[in-house]
Amino acid sequence: DHLVNQIAAGEVVERPASALKELLENSIDAGSRSLQIELQAGGTKLIKVIDDGCGIAKDDLELALHRHATSKIASMDDLAQVATLGFRGEGLASIASVSRLSLTSRFSDNGQLSPHAWRVDADHGRMLDPEPAALAAGTTIEVHDLYHQVPARKKFLKSDSTEYAHCAAMIERLALANPNVSVTVIHNGKAQQRWLAGDLAKRAAAIIGDDFVNSGIAVDEGFGTLRLHGITGSPTLGKTNREAQFFFVNGRFVRDKVVMHALREAYRDVLHHNLHASFCLFLDMDPEGVDVNVHPTKIEVRFRESQAIYRFLITSLSKALAKTKA
Ligand code: ADP
Ligand code: MG
């Protein structure tokens, strides 16, 4: 079972950034309003996340580190209806099997705090019994030495600065998708980011740039159960920044051909411009219409009715862009 976990871990946890993603998604799912992220050596030495979410009850602590113990998928039919970010119930188990992990959490039930926190330590999947611990609220997770004892995975890790860059990109996506959550980032003891809670415009200004938000075009269009909202860049801004292209489906960052094609078409048709603009757009839709489970570490999606999505995106963007010409 131990080896099975370590092998499977490579599927879910490709590198520090993917472990960090699992941790941060859990924190978001737990209703956190504040995330403190601390990394050492690009996350290879330490990934620490302090959140202020609902916490984990003592009896669920050990379960949380067990594969599939918490899977929210009871049947394949449920797969389509998953609304939270986590649903495979294997994120923590995978990370725990290839690191030294410590999980401290103080459960809060409808605002009613438990008397104290509990802490459970795991060393490459071997778990110790939970012990009482001190913590004001929420959950603190420390992942030490990811892959240090798994040479087959360790050799795929790049330099610390490359791994940190992957982490930083991951954090930006999560921060844009959750502007109401404050986020701080420390790397090797140095403060890197401090984003206070606010609205999307404020968060996008901090991450993508003031000029993007000031000259950008607000988008908010709906059709049936589909809604597209966010900010799309003015092409006249003239700044080509391919990195600042963010698209989220039901809160998840994705990179998708259908989406990119639709955006390109809209910019070309309305503004006779190639898509060189930055954008930060959110497509909200019925979870049944999209399969986000293509692969745990991938950022692909599969739309059930991609033609309908394609047409909706073009129509919505064209409408928004046309306003700028008036
Ligand atoms: P999944 O997110 O797919 O359910 P994980 O292995 O990532 O599986 O997490 C297992 C469970 O542990 C979660 O379902 C959740 O109940 C709990 N959990 C993990 N992290 C947190 C957290 N930061 N705050 C509250 N609960 C958490
Ligand atoms: Mg999870």
Side-chain angles (χ1 to χ4, degrees), residues 219-283:
V219 179
D220 195 356
E221 303 288 338
F223 181 77
T225 54
L226 299 172
R227 183 175 169 230
L228 182 73
H229 59 105
I231 304 168
T232 198
S234 155
T236 55
L237 187 58
K239 194 169 135 203
T240 307
N241 186 353
R242 290 198 56 86
E243 290 314 302
Q245 299 190 330
F246 295 92
F247 197 92
F248 302 86
V249 176
N250 290 344
R252 285 170 187 273
F253 178 87
V254 304
R255 208 166 267 149
D256 181 75
K257 270 195 246 130
V258 173
V259 169
M260 285 308 289
H261 196 204
L263 261 71
R264 242 178 260 126
E265 286 283 316
Y267 271 81
R268 196 182 311 134
D269 287 358
V270 183
L271 302 173
H272 309 292
H273 237 285
N274 290 330
L275 177 60
H276 284 318
S278 299
F279 52 82
C280 181
L281 292 168
F282 298 83
L283 173 64

Side-chain angles (χ1 to χ4, degrees), residues 22 25-26 29 86-87 91:
E22 295 290 328
E25 287 184 348
N26 286 344
D29 280 347
F87 55 84

Side-chain angles (χ1 to χ4, degrees), residues 176-252:
L176 281 168
N178 300 279
N180 58 333
V181 176
S182 77
V183 180
T184 60
V185 186
I186 296 170
H187 186 217
N188 292 338
K190 270 204 226 121
Q192 303 289 328
Q193 304 292 357
R194 184 155 181 263
W195 298 312
L196 298 179
D199 57 12
L200 177 66
K202 192 177 161 204
R203 184 59 53 91
I207 293 179
I208 304 176
D210 285 325
D211 47 355
F212 165 71
V213 173
N214 292 338
S215 68
I217 302 146
V219 179
D220 195 356
E221 303 288 338
F223 181 77
T225 54
L226 299 172
R227 183 175 169 230
L228 182 73
H229 59 105
I231 304 168
T232 198
S234 155
T236 55
L237 187 58
K239 194 169 135 203
T240 307
N241 186 353
R242 290 198 56 86
E243 290 314 302
Q245 299 190 330
F246 295 92
F247 197 92
F248 302 86
V249 176
N250 290 344
R252 285 170 187 273

Side-chain angles (χ1 to χ4, degrees), residues 21-23 25-26 29 72 85-92:
K21 176 170 182 267
E22 295 290 328
L23 301 185
E25 287 184 348
N26 286 344
D29 280 347
K72 297 179 186 81
L85 294 169
F87 55 84
R88 301 179 309 273
E90 57 187 280
L92 281 186

Side-chain angles (χ1 to χ4, degrees), residues 11 24 79 84 106 114 130 167 194 204 252 262 277 284 309 319:
E11 280 280 296
L24 294 177
L79 198 56
T84 55
R106 186 161 175 190
S114 300
C167 289
R194 184 155 181 263
R252 285 170 187 273
D284 294 339
I309 300 288
K319 251 196 233 170

Side-chain angles (χ1 to χ4, degrees), residues 40-263:
Q40 275 172 30
T44 60
K45 215 165 155 2
L46 175 72
I47 304 170
K48 181 173 180 179
V49 175
I50 305 174
D51 75 33
D52 64 348
C54 65
I56 308 170
K58 187 208 168 200
D59 292 345
D60 294 332
L61 263 186
E62 288 167 281
L63 284 177
L65 296 182
H66 274 113
R67 179 167 302 272
H68 294 301
T70 63
S71 180
K72 297 179 186 81
I73 305 166
S75 72
M76 284 311 279
D77 285 346
D78 290 348
L79 198 56
Q81 282 148 35
V82 173
T84 55
L85 294 169
F87 55 84
R88 301 179 309 273
E90 57 187 280
L92 281 186
S94 297
I95 298 166
S97 69
V98 290
S99 68
R100 285 188 299 111
L101 181 146
S102 118
L103 170 58
T104 309
S105 195
R106 186 161 175 190
F107 184 56
S108 158
D109 196 4
N110 283 317
Q112 189 71 284
L113 264 181
S114 300
H116 59 81
W118 290 90
R119 168 182 174 144
V120 60
D121 286 333
D123 188 345
H124 293 81
R126 273 169 288 266
M127 235 177 287
L128 300 178
D129 287 337
E131 284 185 12
L135 191 71
T139 301
T140 296
I141 288 202
E142 289 180 28
V143 176
H144 295 268
D145 299 337
L146 186 72
Y147 285 129
H148 278 214
Q149 288 182 32
V150 190
R153 291 296 319 172
K154 198 184 173 205
K155 69 168 187 238
F156 288 108
L157 295 176
K158 301 281 193 286
S159 68
D160 289 358
S161 62
T162 298
E163 294 304 336
Y164 178 70
H166 282 285
C167 289
M170 187 69 72
I171 294 168
E172 284 192 345
R173 295 167 185 176
L174 238 113
L176 281 168
N178 300 279
N180 58 333
V181 176
S182 77
V183 180
T184 60
V185 186
I186 296 170
H187 186 217
N188 292 338
K190 270 204 226 121
Q192 303 289 328
Q193 304 292 357
R194 184 155 181 263
W195 298 312
L196 298 179
D199 57 12
L200 177 66
K202 192 177 161 204
R203 184 59 53 91
I207 293 179
I208 304 176
D210 285 325
D211 47 355
F212 165 71
V213 173
N214 292 338
S215 68
I217 302 146
V219 179
D220 195 356
E221 303 288 338
F223 181 77
T225 54
L226 299 172
R227 183 175 169 230
L228 182 73
H229 59 105
I231 304 168
T232 198
S234 155
T236 55
L237 187 58
K239 194 169 135 203
T240 307
N241 186 353
R242 290 198 56 86
E243 290 314 302
Q245 299 190 330
F246 295 92
F247 197 92
F248 302 86
V249 176
N250 290 344
R252 285 170 187 273
F253 178 87
V254 304
R255 208 166 267 149
D256 181 75
K257 270 195 246 130
V258 173
V259 169
M260 285 308 289
H261 196 204
L263 261 71

